[in-house]
Amino acid sequence: MQQEWRKSKRSSASGPECVEIALNGAGAAVRDSKNRGAGALSFGSTQWWRFVEVAKRGRYDER
């Protein structure tokens, strides 16, 4: 099955720090949108949703 990759709506076409995610039944995969051939990191469902939860609270915001 082909994964459906998507990039953040906040990413710009010329921005250097773009990532794409693909959700699947087991969790999520993350890859560099500017170097798609380099592969992807895979995360289990629990890991991925914990990351999303913490990110929404601003834990990874630039300071």
Side-chain angles (χ1 to χ4, degrees):
M1 183 171 129
Q2 181 74 17
Q3 292 192 51
E4 184 176 330
W5 292 93
R6 62 184 183 160
K7 188 165 57 167
S8 171
K9 293 176 186 171
R10 294 184 179 189
S11 294
S12 67
S14 61
E17 296 125 5
C18 299
V19 296
E20 295 175 318
I21 67 162
L23 300 177
N24 57 48
V30 181
R31 70 181 181 187
D32 181 345
S33 66
K34 297 204 176 350
N35 189 7
R36 294 176 178 146
L41 297 172
S42 295
F43 300 92
S45 184
T46 301
Q47 294 170 309
W48 178 252
W49 293 113
R50 176 68 179 137
F51 165 75
V52 170
E53 177 184 313
V54 172
K56 283 182 178 180
R57 286 193 250 141
R59 169 67 174 87
Y60 305 112
D61 291 352
E62 291 184 39
R63 298 177 197 269

